[in-house]
Amino acid sequence: MILVCGGAGYIGSHTVYELIDRGEEVIIVDNFQTGHRGALHPKAKLYDGDIRDKDFLDKVFGENNIDAVIHFAANSLVGDSMESPLKYYDNNLYGTLVLLKAMNRHGVKKIVFSSTAAVYGEPENIPIVETDKTEPTNPYGETKLAMEKMFKWADTAHDIKYISLRYFNVAGAHESGEIGEDHNPETHLIPLILQVPLGKRDFISIFGENYDTTDGTCIRDYIHITDLADAHILAVEKLRKDKISSIYNLGNGEGFSVKEMIEASRSVTGHPIPARISERRPGDPAKLIASSERAKKELGWKPKFTSVEDIIKSAWKWHQNKPKGFEA
Ligand code: UDP
């Protein structure tokens, strides 16, 4: 039985769908701060509560025979973290501390958790490998890095094995078009671009055109949500089999600028999508591209969505199906 913390969120809900497809029994913990009831899988058992609540976690672990945890319950926005750093330390770092203590009390020895490319800060090498320097440029990345270090010491002392997955830019939706990305407020590039052809905004803002990149706009490595969900399942299987802690980057190994993403979205949607240049967003590194060779080699991870057009098409299908997201 797998406990998914944050199983009503964007990445959590897609992972729950994949887990249940593969016959796993799933328990979801979510406080619905950012998650959606509409994203819950009907076959998963829900505990509505907060990972910072020790008694609540004791009930969840006490009532279920949990063998592994997949942990998504966190705040994850660079810009927001610059404005409210303490919220990130509280929910991300303190929340994970309470969770780890509960795992230790209940003898649960395996955890897969969401880390991020933001742990690297401005990269020294492209593509980025897991052994590269980690110097976050924002509190979001800083809390995720601190979480990784907490896991390392909890492994040494308490034998809790962890796999940390450092995601690059996640996008797209489940093939059914029934679940997808729905943040309020939305801050991510692809859903914001698609709001233009959906008639919800008049133009997309490009945050900075004077970065040291080919066209001056930030370059990111986009990965499809289903490929990301698959990596979590492979990570649980690896922990069950090898019982070795590890850290993996997850991206497609190819970078696209903000302008290229807008152009690709124009071609997918057939809409002109007007764009305007605005100020840089504080905390954004210029270029993030992953080497995911380690995940491919050690986890046997094989991403299926390797073209950004296909990733955008998948997001477009969801947004056309549910233009108002889960509220509809
Ligand atoms: N971005 C942009 N306009 C927007 C939203 C995002 O130019 O309206 C840029 C942002 O500055 C970054 C890239 O798009 O360089 C991806 O941002 P997103 O928030 O999607 O993901 P992040 O890289 O922060 O995880």
Side-chain angles (χ1 to χ4, degrees), residues 169 187-189 192 204-207 218 220 258 281 284:
N169 286 63
T187 63
H188 293 106
L189 181 64
L192 284 174
I204 179 74
S205 297
I206 298 175
F207 296 154
C218 285
R220 294 287 181 273
V258 174
R281 187 174 66 178
D284 270 344

Side-chain angles (χ1 to χ4, degrees), residues 206 208-211 213 215-219 257-260 277 286:
I206 298 175
E209 200 190 21
N210 56 356
Y211 285 95
T213 59
D215 64 17
T217 66
C218 285
I219 291 181
S257 72
V258 174
K259 284 187 177 169
E260 286 171 333
I277 308 299

